[in-house]
Amino acid sequence: MSSLGTDGGGTAYNTVSGDAVILGPVLMAQHIEGLRLPDRAPDVPPSQGPPPSRVFVNRAKELAGLRDAAVALAGEPGPGMLHVVGVGGVGKTQLVAQSVSRELEQLFPDGRLYVDLEDLRRDGVVDLVAVLGGFLRALGVGKEFVPAGVAECGALFRSLAAGKSLLVVVDNVQHAPEARTLVPPRGLLVAIGRRALPSLLMDGAVLIGVDPLDEAAGTELVRRWHADADDGTAAEVVRLCAGHPLALRAAVEWLAARPHLTLDDVVRDLTAAGRHGTGGEDMEGTHTVVGEEPQRGEAGVGEAVDTVLDSVLAEVSEHTRRIYDLLGTLPGTTTTTDLLRAAGAVRVDEALGELLSSRLAILVESPDRPRRFRLHDVARAHARLRARASTGSERRSVLRSVVDFYRDAAAHADALVLGARFRIQPPPSRALAELSAKQPLFTGRPGALDWLDAERVNLEHVIRAAAEHGWHDDVWRLYESLWALYHSRKHLAECVATGRLAIEAAQHEARPDVEVRMRNQVARAAYELGDLDHADSELASATELLGLAGDPRLSGVVWETRGLIALARDRAAEARDLFERALAANRAVPDRHGVVVQSYNVGQALVAGGRWSEALDVLDAAAEAARTAGDDPMLPRIELVRARALGGRGELDRAVAAAVAAADGAAELGQLAKVDQALTLLASLAERADEAPLRAAYEEKLRELREVMGLKPPSVAD
């Protein structure tokens, strides 16, 4: 075979997108070598997790146990595991933070990863894809390259961590499989939980128990905060707080804000509160949303903590108490100042500052712009018990405001991420600027996508709460907006699970058009997960409703998804027919973007069936339509399929040109996954043309891209 770019007369040329010319293999290689990629992120080891407190006393035994076990495990070739166990709020997380800063970070120099599983738990189940995805991003993997499934995420995590000595800290572990999935190939996993898990101990985990402080240690802690405290009075405070560090902290913080009082006043107040039974319910193990019943645990500690928190809250300002109670009412796990204001709170910054200084609230790490907060686990349980004492109408009013806030915010985020796609719901009732007091919740596509991802657990709790209250219109509108997140960040299992509520909401509203849309979103997620039978089932139900749906674009989305499934099953002719029907539906509206997408899909089906010339005619028309409509993101996708069609027809010169154009366009738009596909195709085409130097140039650029994306440089075959 002749070399790429050389005609019979020896003239070297190649055509890109029809007109532009790249001369010869050498210049083609130079062109790809000059392809601009994002700068690689600094190779800095991750350093996640809460910081150590400067006030920390008398955990010498536990610290020594952590150190000795970690030193022993660090010397072994495989991974080690520590299991730190104690009641909620007793100081487990802070104990580990102290150990990390003193010894563990030196033992495991390649970085530390941290996750609190309570922030990602829904119906008792942790979203391990989200956990692993967060770990992968912390290790430098680009968001587009994080896999969609647990197995794939786990495999990539193990591959990237194989040569590293990592410390992985997992807080609020309830079940052994949650911890096992996150064990690094080398290094140490520290699993923090409220009860010992026998399965982890059988796996070889070293158990570190953390008990409430005894009288001596508790007294020392009180005196650290309140230097002139009488030993006897301090000991009595420790007894009334059952040695619980969180309760002690809250009690002394309350006193610090009232310099005219003494520790004796704290004792009298706590004694009176206990005698009058303001506590009495233990929140150990509680993590609920609106409508759930708190769980009970150990009586003594829980009652003491309840008593202290009730006493502290009785004395704080009304606006701080209001926000504390709001945090017990809100669905989800975290909050922002904008959400609290939307729920009716005032003097939000001042109140949150008071809750943070007392350690009742925690600042949560988040990649997006708004700062996020949540109550400490024990305080959260206490706040939710308090919320039960408010009237149903009060709770309903708060939830109504929260649902309205998220519905409008999610719709704005969806519009920024996916642009002018087909939507059933009307535009949001409020402008984006109206949803925040100081600065926009997000700006631009990346910011909107990061906001959706950071709010994902809250949004799903809000959808469930709205469903429980019969606000069906809000349920499906929120779910429709979340496709921007589910599809872009591949939270596909959640898309399938939450979709059931959206389908039921459409049925309650007697909206066949909405039900078609909701079932199609579930089907698309199931298709991408490889569950084609589930996708077929949803589409069969949707197809039965098309006669009642009205808008022809709904027929189009159903035919499109059915066509994708047919392609996945190697039924190219069937796929082409289905995509042609989707194309006709979009032309009937007309929907210019839909016409471009379905033309591209028809081209894919023709290529899959080996009908190269027909595919090129369709794809050339699709490219022209995309340029006319300003639909630039579709152009690299179209060029990739054109390259495959040209390669199938044996026109390797033109195939390379199309693939180079795809790489150029995708790089300019930041579509790095498409750049990866284009470079992989180019290397394959160069191999077919027996152009070893050109192939080497493409493979080198592919390695560079995957290094930038935080992936190990695999072979092209990968």
Side-chain angles (χ1 to χ4, degrees):
M1 176 177 289
S2 63
S3 297
L4 282 173
T6 304
D7 66 8
T11 303
Y13 70 95
N14 206 305
T15 304
V16 180
S17 288
D19 298 316
V21 174
I22 297 177
L23 299 175
V26 173
L27 291 183
M28 278 191 265
Q30 291 176 348
H31 181 84
I32 285 296
E33 287 168 0
L35 191 68
R36 289 186 59 83
L37 299 176
D39 294 333
R40 185 173 183 178
D43 190 14
V44 178
S47 181
Q48 299 180 336
S53 170
R54 289 188 293 179
V55 180
F56 190 80
V57 301
N58 204 34
R59 291 292 192 188
K61 175 184 175 183
E62 292 88 344
L63 285 170
L66 277 168
R67 180 196 62 234
D68 293 346
V71 168
L73 294 169
E76 297 183 2
M81 191 184 309
L82 298 179
H83 192 16
V84 181
V85 176
V87 297
V90 78
K92 304 182 296 297
T93 303
Q94 186 53 224
L95 172 70
V96 173
Q98 294 288 334
S99 183
V100 167
S101 68
R102 299 182 190 195
E103 295 102 10
L104 298 190
E105 65 183 354
Q106 287 78 35
L107 290 171
F108 304 98
D110 292 326
R112 65 181 184 272
L113 301 169
Y114 173 86
V115 65
D116 186 340
L117 297 185
E118 279 304 290
D119 292 337
L120 295 167
R121 195 181 301 280
R122 186 186 66 181
D123 294 335
V125 178
V126 171
D127 180 2
L128 289 171
V129 171
V131 176
L132 288 164
F135 284 0
L136 290 172
R137 291 193 293 272
L139 292 171
V141 176
K143 294 169 183 175
E144 290 183 75
F145 291 82
V146 174
V150 173
E152 295 84 355
C153 276
L156 182 55
F157 171 64
R158 289 188 294 275
S159 174
L160 294 177
K164 300 179 183 293
S165 180
L166 285 174
L167 174 65
V168 179
V169 180
V170 184
D171 215 339
N172 280 306
V173 174
Q174 291 185 9
H175 308 288
E178 298 169 353
R180 290 196 187 104
T181 304
L182 306 176
V183 174
R186 287 182 55 207
L188 180 70
L189 182 131
V190 180
I192 305 173
R194 297 183 178 183
R195 61 186 179 87
L197 300 175
S199 294
L200 292 186
L201 301 180
M202 293 178 66
D203 290 345
V206 177
L207 180 65
I208 306 291
V210 184
D211 296 323
L213 297 171
D214 60 22
E215 181 179 305
T219 299
E220 181 184 350
L221 184 60
V222 171
R223 288 180 62 82
R224 287 281 187 94
W225 288 322
H226 200 67
D228 59 351
D230 172 79
D231 282 350
T233 307
E236 184 63 11
V237 172
V238 173
R239 185 188 67 79
L240 289 167
C241 293
H244 199 292
L246 178 67
L248 287 169
R249 174 90 189 208
V252 178
E253 284 282 349
W254 175 85
L255 178 61
R258 295 160 182 80
H260 60 290
L261 299 180
T262 69
L263 209 59
D264 290 319
D265 295 299
V266 174
V267 171
R268 282 193 294 271
D269 191 71
L270 292 179
T271 301
R275 185 165 55 246
H276 292 123
T278 55
E281 291 278 358
D282 179 38
M283 282 68 63
E284 186 58 39
T286 301
H287 177 68
T288 62
V289 295
V290 175
E292 291 184 353
E293 290 296 318
Q295 302 170 16
R296 294 182 61 87
E298 279 188 41
V301 174
E303 291 174 3
V305 174
D306 254 0
T307 298
V308 173
L309 295 179
D310 281 332
S311 298
V312 170
L313 288 169
E315 299 295 332
V316 300
S317 59
E318 175 61 31
H319 56 274
T320 298
R321 187 162 54 249
R322 165 66 174 160
I323 284 184
Y324 185 88
D325 290 341
L326 268 178
L327 292 172
T329 303
L330 298 177
T333 57
T334 62
T335 190
T336 62
T337 56
D338 291 317
L339 177 61
L340 290 170
R341 291 188 181 100
V346 297
R347 300 171 68 179
V348 173
D349 293 328
E350 181 182 336
L352 282 173
E354 192 170 355
L355 292 174
L356 286 168
S357 67
S358 65
R359 301 299 191 270
L360 295 179
I362 300 168
L363 183 62
V364 179
E365 294 181 12
S366 175
D368 72 324
R369 178 180 294 172
R371 301 182 77 193
R372 287 187 162 72
F373 309 86
R374 69 172 175 84
L375 289 177
H376 187 283
D377 293 348
V378 174
R380 178 166 53 190
H382 175 258
R384 282 178 169 154
L385 280 175
R386 284 175 58 92
R388 294 172 61 197
S390 62
T391 66
S393 60
E394 289 174 332
R395 294 196 299 273
R396 186 180 179 89
S397 176
V398 167
L399 183 61
R400 181 67 265 171
S401 299
V402 169
V403 170
D404 290 345
F405 173 87
Y406 275 118
R407 186 196 61 230
D408 287 348
H412 282 294
D414 170 36
L416 281 172
V417 174
L418 294 181
R421 72 175 179 123
F422 167 54
R423 297 173 180 85
I424 296 179
Q425 65 179 293
S429 58
R430 289 172 289 182
L432 183 58
E434 296 179 67
L435 299 174
S436 55
K438 297 180 180 178
Q439 57 182 341
L441 295 176
F442 40 79
T443 57
R445 182 184 186 276
L449 195 51
D450 281 344
W451 182 89
L452 284 169
D453 215 352
E455 291 281 7
R456 176 171 47 86
V457 174
N458 293 335
L459 283 160
E460 289 175 351
H461 279 294
V462 166
I463 288 175
R464 291 168 58 204
E468 290 169 5
H469 282 74
W471 299 335
H472 306 301
D473 184 68
D474 299 292
V475 171
W476 71 259
R477 288 174 64 174
L478 281 162
Y479 184 71
E480 184 179 42
S481 296
L482 280 178
W483 179 249
L485 169 67
Y486 290 144
H487 179 67
S488 300
R489 292 283 168 85
K490 303 305 178 186
H491 298 300
L492 301 173
E494 293 180 25
C495 182
V496 172
T498 308
R500 177 52 49 194
L501 293 175
I503 292 169
E504 292 173 358
Q507 292 170 339
H508 278 291
E509 293 280 285
R511 291 286 303 270
D513 56 337
V514 173
E515 185 175 349
V516 169
R517 181 66 155 170
M518 301 300 96
R519 288 189 182 277
N520 185 71
Q521 284 191 193
V522 173
R524 284 295 291 269
Y527 154 76
E528 292 194 41
L529 286 169
D531 190 351
L532 302 187
D533 290 340
H534 185 183
D536 270 338
S537 174
E538 295 292 349
L539 292 172
S541 297
T543 302
E544 293 178 0
L545 296 169
L546 288 178
L548 304 173
D551 194 313
R553 287 174 293 185
L554 289 167
S555 299
V557 298
V558 172
W559 304 138
E560 177 187 20
T561 306
R562 290 182 60 180
L564 292 172
I565 293 171
L567 269 185
R569 288 177 166 149
D570 296 322
R571 300 173 184 169
E574 179 185 345
R576 179 195 177 181
D577 178 65
L578 289 163
F579 290 141
E580 290 278 13
R581 296 173 74 177
L583 176 59
N586 280 275
R587 282 175 172 160
V589 175
D591 185 319
R592 293 199 298 175
H593 173 68
V595 168
V596 171
V597 171
Q598 302 314 325
S599 298
Y600 159 80
N601 281 331
V602 171
Q604 285 198 97
L606 289 167
V607 168
R611 301 170 70 169
W612 320 117
S613 297
E614 291 177 66
L616 288 170
D617 290 340
V618 171
L619 291 166
D620 286 343
E624 181 59 31
R627 283 189 285 269
T628 301
D631 201 346
D632 293 342
M634 285 299 300
L635 290 171
R637 299 171 66 184
I638 293 169
E639 288 297 332
L640 268 175
V641 181
R642 284 188 71 250
R644 295 188 181 102
L646 289 163
R649 205 161 67 170
E651 299 181 48
L652 299 188
D653 289 354
R654 293 182 64 199
V656 167
V660 168
D664 283 343
E668 185 175 345
L669 292 168
Q671 299 175 348
L672 298 182
K674 292 299 176 187
V675 176
D676 187 286
Q677 293 175 26
L679 291 172
T680 302
L681 179 58
L682 281 165
S684 175
L685 291 169
E687 182 180 18
R688 285 178 60 188
D690 197 23
E691 289 283 357
L694 195 56
R695 177 186 176 189
Y698 295 147
E699 290 179 344
E700 177 58 32
K701 199 66 178 182
L702 187 60
R703 282 192 289 271
E704 180 186 340
L705 170 65
R706 292 181 180 179
E707 287 177 3
V708 167
M709 290 298 99
L711 305 171
K712 285 188 173 181
S715 66
V716 173
D718 292 341

